[in-house]
Amino acid sequence: MGKYVYDFIEGDRSRADLLGGKGANLAEMTRLGLPVPPGFTVSTDACRAFLATGSPPAGLFEEVNAHLREIEARLDRRLGDPRDPLLLAVRSGGRYSMPGMMETILDIGLNDVTVGGLAARSGDERFAWDSYRRLIQMFGRTVHGVPAEEFEHELAAVRATAGPGGPSAGQLRDLVDTYKKIFVRHVGHDFPQAPHEQLFLAVRAVFESWNSERARIYRRQERIPDDLGTAVNVMAMVFGNLGPDSGTGVAFTRDPATGAPGVYGDYLTDAQGEDVVAGIRNTLPLPELARLDPVSFRRLREIMATLERHYRDLCDIEFTIERGRLWMLQTRVGKRTAAAAFVIAAQLVDEGLITADEALTRVTGAQLAQLMFPAFDLAGAPEPLTVGVGASPGAAVGRVVFDSAAAAAATDPVILVRRETNPDDLPGMIAAAGVLTSRGGKTSHAAVVARGMGRTCVCGAESLDIDAERGEFVVGDRVVRAGDVLSIDGTTGRVWLGAVPVQPSPVARYLAGELSPEADGLVAAVHRLLGHADAVRRLGVRANADTPEDARRARRLGAGGVGLCRTEHMFLGERRELVERLILADGPAEREAALAALLPLQRADFVGILAAMDGLPATIRLLDPPLHEFLPPLAELTARVARAEARGEDPGRDATLLAAVRRMHEANPMLGLRGVRLGLVVPGLFAMQVRAVAEAAAQRIRAGGDPRPEIMVPLVGDVRELAAVRVEVERVLAEVDGAPEIPIGTMIEVPRAALTAGEIAAEAHFFSFGTNDLTQTTWAFSRDDVEGSFFGAYLERGIFPVSPFESIDAKGVGRLIRLAVAEGRAARPELTVGVCGEHGGDPDSVEFFAEAGLDYVSCSPYRVPIARLAAGRAAVAATTGTSDSR
Ligand code: ADP
Ligand code: MG
Ligand code: MG
């Protein structure tokens, strides 16, 4: 027989696994000598045993009885005593807070006899009958599933006929009779009169509430494991509903919205806990308590200060005042907004309660990300049109368009509205201010792609009936047409018709250098915490930047260089035609002419980027994607040629292009002719790019600059591929007068490269993990295909908790990374190792990369501050062995 029950004086807050959060904190407050009604906790072990077998573990109720007798002795009052009954609260509480998801039953111990004793003891007959009817109601609903409305309906009827002072004792007694009848009708037997039976049934019901549907759904959303179980707290009741000198309330030690110090919370006189939720009467702002009951208020403030000093953090509190006496019923480290998290962490450092290192553990990269988005000014905003899934944060306002081409062509901000998106929508998604879909959740194509590029997205707005052909969608009886203005909130999922005003984020403005660090309390807090992160982090943060403008922005946001410059973006637009000439070249002369035309354009691009990153490294990746991506799509060409032929005209160049596209068609382009393979089979292509880099660097040096380019070869799988390219690269570099030393490295993005990293390091000055391709090739996932098809199901079924494209798969892909780092450094100790790709800006992944010993991460410019913060957190976690992300 195990030990399943712990008196509050036995436990403490470190035992939340066993006692649940609520129980552990009740124990902690008891230890601190705060006024907590006596009680005990039935452990989560007992719940797990119950859930496994369907019945309480042997001896549980004997143990409960033994603890109950101790409490009875301490209070000199017994459960079921007809003259002076002890009443109990039976409260759920698991390891992680699940607000309102599980059950609490108050006033256990009342029956037809003890109700008289309670009336006599309290001198308040109405109170006694009101408590009894509350018990029947809560017990009926929680233990036996009697619909709450049945009781509510009768209660409302009595309230309607009652005088201004509320129902009389007689009315409440009659109401108890009515409640008992409802109970029998639904349950098939009388309301149990034996107090111990009430207690045991209540404990059982709390165990069972762990598996209620809403609790399960909540856990899935919050990623709380299903097998933890809940603890059950049994404690003496105290009564906030004993008249005007009693009441119940909640308090926060600081404002959970802004972090401002002060007295925050709500208070309701003459009430029990559930009344606050039910909203029967208006609550008072907590400072009013200073007037109503100054003694209790002062005591509450002392306790708040004690708790803050003890927990060294914002606490939230539930309390009850019984006839002028204050009782603590709950506390925990309180939830807070992202803004409050930063402000409070900085304040606590100033107050000497935590160190700057600890402050970093109190804020997350995700919270900083949230603070960087503009937000809607909701004062005066209309009712939302509908609410979908907030999939990628931000506030976007624009005209409705229904197709990607219209979005790409628009010159003003647009919201791209689609049933769902697919890779063809990419240009539209890039051009749109926001994306709204009616299907799919947080893992749909739209959501994942939008998050990747920082575009605001609301998805799964199921009430939208979209008819793209007609250019309209319907929500209920509203018709919204192309051109109408929408506002969408990617954090809350809300969608409004019309333009809701947007406030720029002061944090983003500060990070962009437009606001001084002293602009306001929040900005000052962000400034301090980021500064500290920079001071402690060992992981460098670079940016992925393809244009001088991106590079400049990245630098302002604190990037220590460019970790990935994708040269393919320089082959688009007007230059596409030169690329076509290169691909269609008939013989070396034509090809060289095409390359010669591209050279000065590439050089100019690189001069701009090297200037923007003067003095800092800029890693330039040679061309990566399959060449046919630069040609018109097959379908379009086929149609063009067919049209020309139908008109009896010569399709000319289109026919040649079509033949080329057909010839180059690949079943799996991702696994086809791309990356280093392209460099090895298209003569002169990489040489032209390398020459452009070297000449650009030489030009910068002549202009007095300090260019630090690095050349990176994509998709290498075997050292001989890299060696062959390197010979050519070095030959070209040697030909360019005045070029600096330029390191040559490779991406590690296919498993074979990771597995042979030791060999590859012999030819590489640096490695950069391309975690997107490495994830694709390790899992055999084609990202464009899998995200939209089965990822939702995989996430639902818990096969992975989060998409491996969003957060690095530490076990699988991460293992390859660790291996490659170790073997690469063993072969070449001075090897620089970084990561480029979206994972570089994902806070959880950044913490993994730091721990794996990488030198830097590279991410999109706007994610640079987030990565800096995450890297700081990782450094602190490495020294203290703790990381607190919940
Ligand atoms: P939740 O986890 O949903 O907040 P609780 O177990 O905290 O549920 O209980 C809800 C409310 O019940 C509390 O806020 C408090 O007002 C009331 N309550 C809990 N325990 C007691 C008690 N011992 N005496 C009086 N009221 C209580
Ligand atoms: Mg509570
Ligand atoms: Mg790649």
Side-chain angles (χ1 to χ4, degrees), residues 310-376:
H310 186 70
Y311 283 86
R312 304 182 311 132
D313 206 346
L314 158 77
C315 295
D316 73 29
I317 291 165
E318 293 177 9
F319 67 93
T320 280
I321 296 173
E322 178 179 321
R323 292 195 167 147
R325 182 143 179 222
L326 175 67
W327 293 98
M328 304 303 292
L329 296 181
Q330 187 172 330
T331 192
R332 68 189 153 198
V333 168
K335 294 207 159 65
R336 67 206 70 183
T337 62
F342 277 86
V343 170
I344 291 172
Q347 282 169 4
L348 293 177
V349 175
D350 287 340
E351 292 167 26
L353 284 178
I354 62 175
T355 63
D357 275 6
E358 276 177 293
L360 281 182
T361 69
R362 302 283 181 88
V363 294
T364 65
Q367 286 170 329
L368 179 58
Q370 231 179 328
L371 293 175
M372 290 169 66
F373 290 107
F376 285 117

Side-chain angles (χ1 to χ4, degrees), residues 133-134 152 155 159 268 274-283:
R133 71 94 195 151
R134 286 172 191 262
E152 291 298 341
L155 179 61
R159 285 215 175 100
L268 193 56
E274 74 270 23
D275 300 335
V276 180
V277 184
I280 297 160
R281 282 173 283 142
N282 286 339
T283 57

Side-chain angles (χ1 to χ4, degrees), residues 22 89 91-92 100 104 106 235-238 248 273 318 329-330:
K22 198 182 288 169
R91 314 168 64 189
S92 60
T104 288
L106 304 179
M235 63 195 298
M237 282 293 296
V238 290
T248 187
E318 293 177 9
L329 296 181
Q330 187 172 330

